[in-house]
Amino acid sequence: MVNHLNLIAWLAALLQTALFVAMAPLFTIWVKRIKCTLQNRLPPPWSQPYRDFRRLFAKEVLLARTASPVFRIAPYIVCGTTIMAASIIPFVWVNIPFAVMADAIVLVGTLALGRFFLALAGMDVGTSFGGMGSSREMTFAALAEPAMLIVVFALAMLSSSTNLSTIIGFVLDQPLALRPSLLFGLLALILVGIVETGRIPVDNPATHLELTMIHEAMILEYTGRHLALMELAAQLKLTIYAVLTANLFLPWGISRSLDAAALGVSFVALTAKLAVLGALLAVGETLVAKMRLFRVPTFLAVAFTLALIGMLSFIMLEGR
Amino acid sequence: MTAYADLPLIEQAIRTFAALILVTSFALLAQSRVVAAIQVFAWQGFLLAALTALVAWNSGLTHLYISAALTLALKALFIPWLLIRQARRLGILRDLDAVIRPGLTLMAAGALVIFCYNVVVPVREFTQVVTRDAIAVSLALVMIALLMLITRRKAITQVVAFMSLENGLFFAAVTATQGMPMVVELGIAFDVLIAAVIFGVFFFHIRDSIESLDVDQLSRLREIND
């Protein structure tokens, strides 16, 4: 058991969060590069997202005349909550001290808080695009959150805890078992992740002016450092869902101590898992066409049903 | 009381297949395109055959292998092929049979699964077979197929629902009592086969008399000459 007042543990947790934030653009560019290669385009260099941030931070911030203080605060809150969410998730080390204070439900809540301010910011300036984006985002969020929570509950029933560190520890301790509940939980989490991070077939992350865009519609009015923070939050969110998928369902390799060698192995294992997940995402996005906006609720109903079947099959088939 | 993770792999695989069959049942309920519904039905038959073979292997009952082979031949290959052929000849292969309120229907199916689980709790207490956990799933398959029967309008998707109901009954027999006597099983298999052929004939009759396969039109009485 880790001593939670241990200064080194806290420092390590902070460093881990910093590493998480630093790796997020790298994960995004990895997905983008694979997509470019698959579609016979020249991929952007690895440093592209970092260069974009430097350029955006140097640029002047332009505000619309109708913008209220909410519009100016929102990027900081959105980015801050997303970084907070990232700090809750075990990245390369399981027993993080944050886990005592924040469990998986807090994680969902933190992301919801960020989304609330993102939607407010979208409507604040009063452009039609922003309002449309916000209304779509909230519609889908209302359907995606229950599915996400049911996945969390299924995992919580399995390990008798909603604490992410405990869940990962439980999966690591178990002998390898073929569990229908985990299988469907994984599928549901992937579907929810696709909706929440605005990837194809729900939203196209590469477009900046399209009638059906969701995320881009909300941040259309942002410039300079505000835009950079919003972009960083989006990239972080994608990485959060990828790390959640990798660490909750395939946790093998993650380190349970602060031993340097174990952390190194854990880092390599996680990088490999993220690389595979990113490649799968890129292949999926290349193969699938974007679906109609009105089909998205059905897509989410499928995610919800899978999560529900996962939980039910835990009770029916694994309960003993 | 043994923990789930300590069960032999084959029993875990049986449970996973049971859950997968439940998923195909949900997929069938939400599938609006005729051809897609038939394909999902074929997958359900395939998974059912695989599960029966696993149960046969686990329990060492050789007659279950014959049931598995019959299921594979009839429900995964022949009946889907027959249905697709008939749909193509009727020109309705790519037609839509819109699901009314897909979200609500799926929720209802989820509620049915919970209901079935509660109903079979006493049955579970009194059986000792390794597959007793899956009895709830088999009842749920029957109930979801019934739900599909009452929410669909086209005759062909209703037939798919009916066949899926039969899948549920077969699944119940395999999991609850390790299969029925061979004579009964053969009899049912041929009944299903004949039913598929007769349904095919009826499709053409229904279309000839009301020029559509939408059975809602059968509920209205009409004079012949209006």
Side-chain angles (χ1 to χ4, degrees):
Chain A
M1 193 64 205
V2 182
N3 176 10
H4 295 296
L5 293 171
N6 189 342
L7 196 65
I8 296 172
W10 282 99
L11 267 179
L14 283 179
L15 272 178
Q16 172 173 270
T17 311
L19 185 68
F20 202 132
V21 176
M23 290 256 302
L26 217 54
F27 181 65
T28 321
I29 192 75
W30 164 249
V31 176
K32 204 175 274 176
R33 279 180 69 99
I34 295 200
K35 257 177 93 171
C36 284
T37 317
L38 284 173
Q39 297 167 357
N40 273 335
R41 289 183 288 141
L42 209 59
W46 285 97
S47 57
Q48 192 59 50
Y50 301 102
R51 277 198 242 160
D52 282 345
F53 285 135
R54 202 180 61 196
R55 177 174 55 90
L56 285 173
F57 272 111
K59 277 193 171 182
E60 182 193 1
V61 170
L62 293 174
L63 287 174
R65 262 185 298 114
T66 48
S68 77
V70 173
F71 186 76
R72 265 176 289 161
I73 302 168
Y76 300 100
I77 296 181
V78 171
C79 197
T81 50
T82 319
I83 292 176
M84 203 171 112
S87 73
I88 298 172
I89 301 169
F91 188 57
V92 289
W93 175 41
V94 177
N95 298 311
I96 50 169
F98 287 116
V100 194
M101 303 185 294
D103 61 2
I105 298 173
V106 174
L107 174 74
V108 177
T110 319
L111 288 175
L113 182 67
R115 178 171 33 240
F116 174 72
F117 275 93
L118 184 62
L120 272 190
M123 293 186 292
D124 188 72
V125 178
T127 60
S128 50
F129 253 130
M132 268 155 62
S134 298
S135 112
R136 287 168 188 167
E137 173 88 4
M138 292 323 268
T139 310
F140 298 154
L143 297 165
E145 250 165 45
M148 176 80 185
L149 276 174
I150 288 195
V151 174
V152 168
F153 290 152
L155 287 168
M157 285 166 88
L158 189 66
S159 59
S160 326
S161 166
T162 52
N163 188 324
L164 285 169
S165 296
T166 319
I167 295 174
I168 294 175
F170 177 85
V171 178
L172 278 175
D173 283 338
Q174 288 272 305
L176 201 58
L178 198 57
R179 284 183 182 275
S181 58
L182 283 186
L183 183 68
F184 298 131
L186 173 66
L187 288 176
L189 184 67
I190 290 174
L191 293 187
V192 170
I194 286 172
V195 176
E196 291 267 15
T197 56
R199 308 299 296 194
I200 293 174
V202 175
D203 190 9
N204 188 351
T207 181
H208 293 285
L209 204 62
E210 198 179 284
L211 270 174
T212 55
M213 62 189 181
I214 303 170
H215 184 257
E216 283 296 328
M218 286 186 287
I219 62 168
L220 206 55
E221 297 294 318
Y222 276 111
T223 48
R225 60 173 185 279
H226 290 161
L227 181 61
L229 287 173
M230 287 296 201
E231 294 277 0
L232 179 64
Q235 294 178 358
L236 253 178
K237 208 169 170 189
L238 177 67
T239 318
I240 284 176
Y241 275 95
V243 170
L244 266 184
T245 312
N247 278 354
L248 282 179
F249 294 97
L250 319 153
W252 297 282
I254 192 165
S255 169
R256 306 179 85 168
S257 66
L258 271 177
D259 179 42
L263 283 182
V265 170
S266 168
F267 184 71
V268 172
L270 183 71
T271 314
K273 280 183 264 182
L274 286 184
V276 172
L277 274 180
L280 286 178
L281 178 65
V283 172
E285 288 203 313
T286 309
L287 291 177
V288 177
K290 197 168 163 304
M291 64 177 148
R292 282 173 59 217
L293 205 62
F294 297 112
R295 294 283 308 273
V296 177
T298 316
F299 184 82
L300 280 166
V302 171
F304 183 80
T305 314
L306 277 174
L308 195 68
I309 294 178
M311 196 167 80
L312 290 176
S313 65
F314 173 74
I315 301 171
M316 292 197 301
L317 299 171
E318 296 168 30
R320 11 186 76 239
Chain B
M1 291 291 273
T2 46
Y4 181 80
D6 297 331
L7 287 177
L9 185 65
I10 181 149
E11 291 185 21
Q12 289 177 5
I14 289 174
R15 285 165 175 77
T16 308
F17 269 95
L20 282 174
I21 292 174
L22 189 60
V23 169
T24 56
S25 205
F26 272 86
L28 210 54
L29 193 63
Q31 207 57 259
S32 51
R33 227 165 260 283
V34 170
V35 60
I38 298 173
Q39 279 162 357
V40 174
F41 170 72
W43 274 107
Q44 191 175 49
F46 176 74
L47 286 170
L48 197 59
L51 181 124
T52 314
L54 279 177
V55 172
W57 191 27
N58 191 37
S59 61
L61 296 168
T62 37
H63 78 270
L64 277 180
Y65 282 117
I66 304 172
S67 317
L70 264 179
T71 311
L72 183 70
L74 280 182
K75 286 171 196 154
L77 301 171
F78 182 70
I79 293 178
W81 172 78
L82 194 71
L83 283 173
I84 284 186
R85 205 180 70 127
Q86 283 162 353
R88 186 173 292 133
R89 280 174 59 197
L90 288 164
I92 54 164
L93 194 61
R94 307 235 155 242
D95 273 18
L96 277 174
D97 181 9
V99 187
I100 313 145
R101 294 174 186 269
L104 207 62
T105 315
L106 284 175
M107 292 294 135
L112 276 178
V113 176
I114 297 170
F115 170 74
C116 293
Y117 173 68
N118 282 316
V119 167
V120 300
V121 162
V123 181
R124 266 181 89 200
E125 299 293 315
F126 289 110
T127 49
Q128 287 304 316
V129 284
V130 286
T131 45
R132 66 175 190 277
D133 294 333
I135 299 173
V137 176
S138 63
L139 188 58
L141 288 187
V142 175
M143 298 298 258
I144 292 174
L146 280 174
L147 182 66
M148 186 177 169
L149 265 175
I150 59 174
T151 51
R152 294 311 180 96
R153 289 219 190 90
K154 284 223 161 61
I156 190 154
T157 34
Q158 288 187 349
V159 168
V160 170
F162 181 78
M163 295 285 173
S164 156
L165 193 153
E166 206 281 325
N167 274 354
L169 290 175
F170 177 77
F171 186 67
V174 169
T175 53
T177 59
Q178 313 248 311
M180 291 172 275
M182 204 62 235
V183 182
V184 180
E185 227 155 83
L186 279 175
I188 292 177
F190 282 106
D191 269 358
V192 170
L193 187 62
I194 300 301
V197 175
I198 293 177
F199 282 138
V201 176
F202 263 99
F203 289 153
F204 289 96
H205 275 291
I206 294 174
R207 197 195 46 178
D208 284 347
S209 52
I210 63 170
E211 287 168 358
S212 156
L213 275 186
D214 192 339
V215 290
D216 266 12
Q217 299 191 12
L218 289 175
S219 54
R220 280 196 304 268
L221 279 175
R222 267 196 315 198
E223 292 293 323
I224 294 167
N225 294 326
D226 82 350

